[in-house]
Amino acid sequence: MTTLPELGGYINESGHLNLPRFEKYLIKLSDFDREHFSEIFVDLKWFESKVGNKYLNEAAGIAAEESKKQKNLKAQENVICLNALEKTDNGNVETSKTALEDELEDDGLFEAEFRQYKRTYYMTKLGVEVVSNDFLADQAKCYVQAIQWILHYYYHGVQSWSWYYPFHYAPYLSDICNIGELKIHLDLGKPFMPFEQLLAVLPAASKDLLPKCYQHLMTSDESPIIEYYPTEFKTDLNGKQQEWEAVVLIPFIDEKLLLEAMAPCNKLLKAEEKQRNRHSECLMYSYDRDTEFRYLSPWPEKFLFIEKCHTRCEAVSMDAWHVDIADNKITQLDTEKLYFCGFPTLKHINHKFGLKKSGVQVFQQSSHGENMLLEIIAAEDSEEFDIEKVASMILGKSVFVNWPHLEEARAVAVSDGDTKFYLEERPGTQKLYRGNAVPPTKVTFVGEKENNVWIKEIQGISEHYQRRKGVIINETSIIVYAQLLTGSRYQHINLDAEDFFYAVLQSCNSAISSEKYALITTFFSIVG
């Protein structure tokens, strides 16, 4: 929230990582490294006071002493300026030890301990003997390459088939620095063939999924790549609790060695296996009225033959999907009209946001820190919509609920605690009343008992939104009762020419009406 306005733009520019901005962002994130270590540092200081050691870590102690010597002269000058001078009996001037000296000593010790803590992490996790500047620079480069590879993948497609992140662990954010001028180059290479891919990722226990000519490479002691298929290996929980969350410490397979080991076996493949071990084209099926044939069902007991099939099949080469980055243009869309069922969107609803301790539940546990909360802002003209107007507007119609994860539903009733409008339909009816169609509606006045239930429903909805979703819905005056859409069905009907429905293009709109949707979600809560 504080960093973005200072960056001068976004970190992600249509799939390209803006490194100077990314570096500023990482500098801000690196504060969390120190915050996390400060908690550990407090425990270390407490333990030192118990065991009587000035430094628990000898290397950190030496580094702290060196840092202290370098700052000693400057610190003494500051002390002299800030404190009164005291004369001893022999006329010499001496300064009393001040809080500033203690603070400088603590700062030096903290930074030294922090550096040594990170060194220990790299030495124990990554197995390096010396944590040099070159090593940290390589860590930073690989991490940035990983971020850029991912962005390319989603925006431009695969830009390197051979690149992989060569470590089991990520570096500390505070060590990812000096990346503003980093040059990132990715070699495209070529993808593995199916059997090469399987041999690269499967364990020896799954060897039967491969042709027999390859299986010995995973089990024989004479195999040149046997080291990549250990039967016993270590795992590291790395702060997690469940075994499936652990880091699996097996070696990364060497692509060159893998292909060299497989080469002599390739000529032993059967004809059917060679047919499977290739990159096939994509198949595109399209309707063609000039094509007609009888399609035989591969499973006649379940699926009937297609007597008049009008389908044309066309092979599309894999190269057709490759788009050069220089030619790739990001299409600008009207995001206000986008709707993907179940996916979150912060469009359509007027809201504000902020950090606040609210105990939002994450993985069935209330969070202890601050949460990013969304707060829906009621429209200024909310008083204009009474229960009768709302009922006439949405009953029997399609509405979108559960913002910000939009889901389509059919409104079947509305209530303001005093009056309830609902659809008077036969049981099982799931009809949408489109256009000017008037749904059968009935109105009843709510008694005291139902009013109490209505109040409890509002309380439950408000608590659910705030505790589970981090959304503050504020005062609610109307509840909408809706049926969630569980699926759609297309029905083919033979129509005569005079039965066709005609509509001009400008009258067809598949987008969500922002005004209508804002009205619904601002004034109503949804009971599923």
Side-chain angles (χ1 to χ4, degrees), residues 57 61 98-99 164 178 244 256 266 268 277 280 292 308 327 357 387 391 438 472 513:
N57 190 304
T98 65
Y164 66 95
N178 302 321
W244 55 267
K256 183 179 179 181
N266 293 337
L268 302 177
N277 191 37
S280 59
E292 182 178 316
K308 295 182 179 181
D327 299 330
K357 285 190 175 181
I387 185 68
V438 179
I472 302 173
S513 171

Side-chain angles (χ1 to χ4, degrees), residues 204-270:
S206 301
K207 62 182 176 60
D208 290 336
L209 297 176
L210 282 161
K212 289 188 178 296
C213 61
Y214 294 129
Q215 294 180 11
H216 72 282
L217 295 175
M218 309 172 79
T219 57
S220 173
D221 292 336
E222 304 299 323
S223 170
I225 54 174
I226 188 61
E227 63 179 295
Y228 300 110
Y229 306 96
T231 55
E232 295 182 0
F233 49 85
K234 294 181 179 180
T235 60
D236 179 14
L237 286 175
N238 198 34
K240 303 296 184 180
Q241 296 182 349
Q242 307 298 330
E243 288 190 9
W244 55 267
E245 297 178 294
V247 179
V248 180
L249 300 175
I250 57 176
F252 298 104
I253 199 161
D254 186 297
E255 178 183 356
K256 183 179 179 181
L257 287 178
L258 174 70
L259 297 180
E260 289 177 352
M262 294 182 69
C265 307
N266 293 337
K267 57 186 178 182
L268 302 177
L269 290 172
K270 300 176 182 178

